[in-house]
Amino acid sequence: TTTVACGASNGKVRLWDHHRGKCLKSVDAHALAVTAVRYASAHGSSLLVTGGADAHVKLWDARTGAPRRSLATHSARWNRGVAAWNFS
């Protein structure tokens, strides 16, 4: 399957099965708008990194929706760089 992640202005992040058009997971990620999303699946694990207008960058277990880490930043503008991160 092809999984697509999208963030919304209400702070939610949703993971979608692109081929079936089905929402796989919905996460209340941020208090304000989600400004960046990066999803990666490799070696049996799936991670989701999000950045929000609330000036936080968060790491999630994409399978369960459980938070792994939260980093407070000084500016929500910094969070836009989340989309450029490379997982390996």
Side-chain angles (χ1 to χ4, degrees):
T1 64
T2 301
T3 304
V4 176
C6 64
S9 61
N10 64 0
K12 290 188 183 289
V13 171
R14 289 187 176 89
L15 295 176
W16 294 88
D17 179 325
H18 170 67
H19 294 295
R20 294 185 296 164
K22 180 181 177 184
C23 182
L24 302 172
K25 180 76 57 192
S26 180
V27 177
D28 291 321
H30 293 273
L32 299 173
V34 177
T35 58
V37 176
R38 175 75 177 176
Y39 170 80
S41 179
H43 309 293
S45 65
S46 297
L47 296 175
L48 181 67
V49 179
T50 62
D54 59 2
H56 282 79
V57 173
K58 297 182 180 184
L59 176 66
W60 306 86
D61 181 317
R63 287 201 166 96
T64 66
R68 293 254 182 113
R69 299 277 189 273
S70 181
L71 305 168
T73 64
H74 297 289
S75 168
R77 286 184 293 175
W78 185 86
N79 297 342
R80 293 184 195 131
V82 166
W85 288 0
N86 188 17
F87 297 99
S88 52

